[in-house]
């Protein structure tokens, strides 16, 4: 039983490192990168003046009177 803790610790530390690295990579490529692309695509097509005019026409903005 001598050295049992040290041997088991090496195994579990290596396993924990591999699992955490795999989870981080899966999150990055499965969630973060698609989200970045979606935001970039949205802001590439986004027209703030058109959005402002739509909100003004709907009466959402009190500081911009309806015409």
């Amino acid at each position: 039983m001598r050295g049992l803790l040290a041997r088991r610790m090496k195994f579990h530390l290596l396993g924990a490192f591999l699992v955490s690295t795999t989870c981080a990579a899966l999150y990055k490529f499965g969630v973060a990168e698609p989200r970045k692309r979606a935001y970039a695509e949205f802001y590439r097509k986004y027209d703030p003046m058109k959005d402002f005019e739509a909100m003004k026409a709907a009466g959402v903005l009190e500081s911009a009177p309806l015409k």
Side-chain angles (χ1 to χ4, degrees):
M1 304 243 343
R2 190 176 294 257
L4 179 64
L5 178 62
R7 277 186 286 149
R8 301 282 287 171
M9 185 75 70
K10 286 179 188 176
F11 173 75
H12 286 106
L13 282 176
L14 179 64
F17 177 75
L18 291 176
V19 168
S20 63
T21 304
T22 303
C23 288
L26 287 174
Y27 181 82
K28 177 177 173 47
F29 295 113
V31 176
E33 292 298 323
R35 187 178 291 171
K36 284 182 195 176
R37 284 194 300 272
Y39 275 106
E41 183 65 26
F42 173 78
Y43 283 110
R44 189 175 302 120
K45 296 178 181 178
Y46 182 65
D47 183 15
M49 288 308 293
K50 180 180 164 189
D51 201 23
F52 170 73
E53 292 298 329
M55 286 190 286
K56 189 168 101 173
V60 175
L61 304 173
E62 294 178 11
S63 62
L66 288 169
K67 289 189 178 181

